[in-house]
Amino acid sequence: MNRRLVAFYLGSHPDHRGRMLAEILRQDDLWFELTHDFIQWLFPLAEVSRVTPDAPLLDSETIAAFQQDEVLQAHLQASVARMLRFWGLTFDGVGVAPAANWADRRGEWFTENTHNSLRITRMLKCMALLGLKADARAIAAGLEHLCTNGPQCGITDESRRHWKAAVS
């Protein structure tokens, strides 16, 4: 089991830069846009990150711990909610909708394909692995709906295919 990752998600230990989960989730949107080494901690995968190769990795024991522990699930949901707020979105457990800050945030990721498309793929894939597959599918469907029906979607078809694959 990746005890370091579990301890980070439980809020008892920091990430590789000394940041606690709660501290990361309190950062402002500019910090989220400019900082690139936190996403692997919020949404870990089983594959080594090209950006942060020493980021924690999921293994079967860690995946099982997340799937079974209510605190880990709640903290993962808080991470998802914060990332969605960063992108100007809300999720009510059923669907995704533009949030009050949509007009301010959409230009950072929605009107053109940016590194945030990769972040979305990572988040969806992590959610699906760690026990939030239904939520991940609903978010992916909501994003697809926004791209299909929203004005000025600049997300590439390739990114959208990655989102769909992440939750299948």
Side-chain angles (χ1 to χ4, degrees):
M1 177 185 300
N2 190 325
R3 296 189 191 288
R4 187 174 173 203
L5 176 62
V6 171
F8 169 76
Y9 245 94
L10 289 172
S12 63
H13 287 79
D15 70 0
H16 67 297
R17 294 211 187 258
R19 302 170 297 206
M20 301 298 281
L21 175 62
E23 176 187 348
I24 291 172
L25 297 181
R26 284 192 305 265
Q27 296 297 326
D28 64 19
D29 289 339
L30 181 60
W31 185 91
F32 268 68
E33 185 60 44
L34 298 177
T35 307
H36 297 277
D37 66 348
F38 72 93
I39 199 77
Q40 297 84 3
W41 282 85
L42 287 190
F43 304 111
L45 298 175
E47 304 93 39
V48 174
S49 166
R50 291 177 293 164
V51 176
T52 309
D54 60 340
L57 297 176
L58 294 175
D59 56 30
S60 59
E61 291 176 342
T62 307
I63 291 169
F66 268 85
Q67 291 174 348
Q68 297 165 10
D69 189 288
E70 291 179 16
V71 173
L72 292 172
Q73 288 285 295
H75 290 177
L76 179 58
Q77 289 170 328
S79 296
V80 170
R82 178 59 187 100
M83 286 308 299
L84 291 174
R85 192 168 66 248
F86 166 69
W87 292 314
L89 301 169
T90 63
F91 177 63
D92 63 5
V94 177
V96 170
N101 64 339
W102 172 248
D104 295 330
R105 298 302 310 150
R106 66 189 290 279
E108 296 290 331
W109 71 277
F110 186 76
T111 58
E112 62 182 291
N113 209 54
T114 69
H115 66 278
N116 282 298
S117 292
L118 296 172
R119 288 174 164 183
I120 291 169
T121 302
R122 173 177 277 276
M123 181 185 77
L124 294 171
K125 193 172 191 178
C126 175
M127 291 172 69
L129 286 169
L130 297 184
L132 300 178
K133 192 167 196 167
D135 288 353
R137 285 182 171 161
I139 291 169
L143 291 168
E144 181 60 30
H145 179 79
L146 281 173
C147 285
T148 302
N149 300 306
Q152 299 176 338
C153 178
I155 307 297
T156 64
D157 290 340
E158 179 183 16
S159 288
R160 291 161 61 186
R161 281 192 301 274
H162 286 296
W163 298 348
K164 187 175 182 178
V167 299
S168 61

